[in-house]
């Protein structure tokens, strides 16, 4: 599956399944807005994506806060022009 020119928002992307999914989708060409409550862990994943030539941004988000989630979606749209895929992995 190719994800070239697709924009992905992933919550819970600092570790575990979320991190593995973020790295895999980036390897397939996705532009990512990766978020987690753990900003340091999230920045590490985004750094790996960028080192591999991918496009990603990190944002600290508590998914129980509607305003933070809305801000993440707005930032993803501003940065990548649209959101094609949303993976709600937090929990």
């Amino acid at each position: 599956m190719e994800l070239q020119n697709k924009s992905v928002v992933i919550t819970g992307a600092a570790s575990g399944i979320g991190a593995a999914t973020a790295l895999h989708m980036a390897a397939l060409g996705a532009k990512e807005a990766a978020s987690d409550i753990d900003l340091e862990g999230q920045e590490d994943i985004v750094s790996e994506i960028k080192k591999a030539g991918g496009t990603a941004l990190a944002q600290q988000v508590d998914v129980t806060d509607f305003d933070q989630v809305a801000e993440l979606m707005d930032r993803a749209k501003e940065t990548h022009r649209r959101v094609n895929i949303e993976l709600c992995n937090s929990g």
Side-chain angles (χ1 to χ4, degrees):
M1 175 197 256
E2 289 291 322
L3 296 177
Q4 294 293 336
N5 300 314
K6 301 295 182 191
S7 174
V8 179
V9 173
I10 301 176
T11 63
S15 62
I17 293 170
T21 303
L23 292 168
H24 182 70
M25 291 181 131
L28 295 174
K31 299 174 186 174
E32 298 197 26
S35 67
D36 200 286
I37 201 163
D38 172 11
L39 183 59
E40 184 177 324
Q42 187 54 59
E43 288 174 338
D44 290 344
I45 296 300
V46 167
S47 178
E48 283 186 53
I49 290 169
K50 289 180 177 181
K51 282 179 187 174
T55 302
L57 62 90
Q59 184 162 331
Q60 185 174 30
V61 174
D62 177 347
V63 296
T64 66
D65 184 320
F66 178 84
D67 291 334
Q68 288 185 28
V69 174
E71 184 180 315
L72 169 66
M73 297 303 288
D74 288 345
R75 186 171 176 213
K77 289 177 197 172
E78 287 172 10
T79 304
H80 303 304
R81 300 178 54 121
R82 66 182 175 273
V83 173
N84 300 103
I85 301 167
E86 183 179 353
L87 175 61
C88 301
N89 181 66
S90 296

